[in-house]
Amino acid sequence: MSQRRVVVTGLGTLNPMGHNTEESWANLLAGKSGAAPIKQFDASLFKTQFACEIKDFSGADVFGRKDVRRLDPVMQYALVASDEAIADAKLEEVENKKRIGVFWASGIGGITTLQHEVQSFEKGSGTPRFNPFLVPKMIVDASAGNISIRHGFRGPTGAFVTACASSTHCIGLAYDQIRLNRADIMVVGGAEAAINEVGVGAFNALKALSTRNEDPAVASRPFDKDRDGFVIGEGAASLILEDYEHAKARGAKIYAEIIGVAQNADAYHITAPDPDGHGVIDVIKLALEDANIQAEDLDYLNPHSTSTDLGDIAESNAIIKALGDAAFKVKMSATKSMTGHMISAAGAMESLICIKTIETGEIAPTINFQEFDPQIDSRLQITPNVKQSADVQIAMNMNYGFGGHNSAVIFKKITE
């Protein structure tokens, strides 16, 4: 059975760099940092006192005071990002909503709601008076449900959790739904809203976060010898995936084509990367094989690169082993240096960046870079500190998550 081609016809995001795609892209190309002291709670007693928070956003202004009470911030972010993507793709003009599905990712779900309810219970008399919206505001699949309800999409729907690889996995699964003719259009993406006492405290306990409290803007520094951990971020990003012939028939704008995806496991450790990178090497090769291209065909790569000590070394070595000499020619940018690590939303956000790179021929920089870690090959082309221009035909995004989950997706400039 021949498989259908899958293209991207809509983009949307709400993140530390902006409230929509164009604002975010302009700030990314300008090399701005999204990091600043935490405003959502008093972090003065925490080892890490800064994060990449969304700036100047009010859910009540968007959804109204009544409706916002039933939506955890993670769902507000998901709805804002998916609304932009849906409008961008003009899906309101598509009549058959049974052929439009929603796959959405979140690693932690409504953790802010859960934290507040538990704190309120502990302060009370012991009589349980939990909010009746606790469960629908907490469960991970509620974002997908809210998106489908809001727009009447009745195709395949669900949530997927593979920690920081979640939304890239969602893109791959949705890609299969369309190419196997189980849907014509899929709304995909991821959202995370874990900048609270539990989220920051838990990652501090893992010693995963940067503690550069004196200068947050330069704290996220992938590949740099002075990196000291990742900067937690929040937000959401969304893509509209669509059957190529369906998109052409309705005259939709086509940003790029998806030509390959891959997922696998390290099967090594629940939090640490495999130091030999076997899983990452394999997932890169599997994605290239699925796309039917060679390593030399890649023009751009957005690596996971969180600024952790072990992670950046293991990933850079795996890229070199998987791509060979092509690893030193492909343009790369570690954009978490600006957005922070948006956890399960990272894959969708960095896929959006790959697509904008193909569309515009502009490569966002890896900021805060001064000198390579001696254990990372300095021949890698990481676009240090300043954007570059290039003809990008094919781009790959890669993400990994606790549990040893690896994922990759390859985008290509659209051709007939």
Side-chain angles (χ1 to χ4, degrees):
M1 181 179 73
S2 63
Q3 295 180 339
R4 303 199 297 175
R5 296 171 66 184
V6 180
V7 295
V8 179
T9 56
L11 302 174
T13 184
L14 172 67
N15 67 79
M17 308 302 293
H19 288 196
N20 54 57
T21 301
E22 291 311 313
E23 181 186 9
S24 303
W25 185 237
N27 285 329
L28 286 161
L29 292 179
K32 295 184 178 179
S33 170
I38 290 173
K39 292 185 176 180
Q40 297 183 48
F41 67 95
D42 179 3
S44 59
L45 297 180
F46 285 66
K47 291 180 180 178
T48 297
Q49 298 163 7
F50 62 94
C52 283
E53 295 175 301
I54 296 171
K55 316 297 187 299
D56 303 319
F57 174 77
S58 167
D61 290 344
V62 177
F63 302 103
R65 290 186 177 181
K66 179 181 178 182
D67 286 344
V68 80
R69 287 199 294 268
R70 63 177 181 81
L71 297 169
D72 182 89
V74 72
M75 294 152 204
Q76 298 173 32
Y77 301 167
L79 287 170
V80 170
S82 58
D83 278 358
E84 183 194 353
I86 289 164
D88 187 33
K90 297 181 172 54
L91 296 192
E92 69 277 6
E93 299 174 358
V94 179
E95 294 183 357
N96 189 357
K97 301 296 193 291
K98 293 181 180 180
R99 296 285 294 177
I100 303 178
V102 182
F103 279 180
W104 199 268
S106 179
I108 309 176
I111 188 174
T112 299
T113 295
L114 178 62
Q115 175 186 294
H116 289 168
E117 289 292 319
V118 172
Q119 288 173 328
S120 296
F121 177 72
E122 284 297 315
K123 292 175 182 176
S125 64
T127 302
R129 291 190 175 88
F130 291 103
N131 189 317
F133 291 114
L134 171 57
V135 172
K137 288 178 70 175
M138 179 182 67
I139 53 178
V140 172
D141 64 314
S143 291
N146 276 298
I147 294 167
S148 66
I149 293 166
R150 185 175 178 86
H151 296 281
F153 299 149
R154 298 172 63 192
T157 183
F160 205 75
V161 181
T162 51
C164 307
S166 298
S167 51
T168 308
H169 269 90
C170 266
I171 293 170
L173 292 170
Y175 173 60
D176 288 341
Q177 291 292 314
I178 295 173
R179 66 175 167 173
L180 296 177
N181 199 20
R182 292 169 180 157
D184 293 327
I185 298 171
M186 293 293 296
V187 181
V188 300
E192 208 73 86
I195 301 177
N196 52 37
E197 291 88 336
V198 172
V200 174
F203 281 115
N204 268 158
L206 279 172
K207 299 181 179 178
L209 297 182
S210 170
T211 56
R212 201 182 293 268
N213 295 315
E214 72 282 3
D215 199 356
V218 300
S220 184
R221 41 202 314 142
F223 305 119
D224 190 87
K225 69 179 181 62
D226 290 330
R227 69 194 185 286
D228 71 331
F230 75 79
V231 177
I232 190 170
E234 63 177 355
S238 179
L239 315 178
I240 306 300
L241 310 189
E242 185 167 356
D243 167 54
Y244 173 61
E245 297 296 338
H246 190 276
K248 275 208 315 180
R250 70 184 187 91
K253 176 180 179 178
I254 297 176
Y255 285 96
E257 180 175 6
I258 298 180
I259 58 173
V261 298
Q263 300 94 29
N264 72 356
D266 275 356
Y268 173 76
H269 190 275
I270 197 66
T271 57
D274 179 349
D276 294 321
H278 293 303
V280 175
I281 294 168
D282 287 345
V283 85
I284 293 172
K285 290 182 176 179
L286 288 168
L288 294 174
E289 181 179 343
D290 194 43
N292 195 27
I293 63 172
Q294 304 300 312
E296 294 75 14
D297 296 325
L298 286 176
D299 299 307
Y300 174 75
L301 173 62
N302 195 306
H304 193 56
S305 303
T306 59
S307 301
T308 59
D309 186 15
L310 295 177
D312 285 7
I313 295 170
E315 183 182 27
S316 60
N317 288 336
I319 290 171
I320 294 168
K321 289 178 182 176
L323 300 183
D325 289 342
F328 306 122
K329 298 177 182 177
V330 65
K331 302 290 187 182
M332 300 167 57
S333 49
T335 46
K336 289 186 181 71
S337 58
M338 295 175 279
T339 64
H341 189 355
M342 295 165 61
I343 315 297
S344 70
M349 184 68 208
E350 289 151 18
S351 292
L352 183 151
I353 290 169
C354 285
I355 293 164
K356 291 298 293 183
T357 302
I358 290 172
E359 180 192 31
T360 65
E362 299 284 349
I363 297 174
T366 302
I367 69 167
N368 301 327
F369 180 80
Q370 294 181 346
E371 184 177 346
F372 270 109
D373 181 317
Q375 298 182 76
I376 296 175
D377 197 313
S378 61
R379 290 176 292 175
L380 292 173
Q381 304 299 308
I382 65 166
T383 319
N385 300 313
V386 179
K387 71 173 184 176
Q388 296 179 11
S389 298
D391 179 17
V392 176
Q393 297 288 323
I394 299 179
M396 179 164 68
N397 176 49
M398 308 191 310
N399 298 100
Y400 327 115
F402 284 170
H405 310 294
N406 306 310
S407 60
V409 57
I410 299 176
F411 302 93
K412 182 181 179 183
K413 184 170 284 187
I414 189 67
T415 56
E416 292 297 328

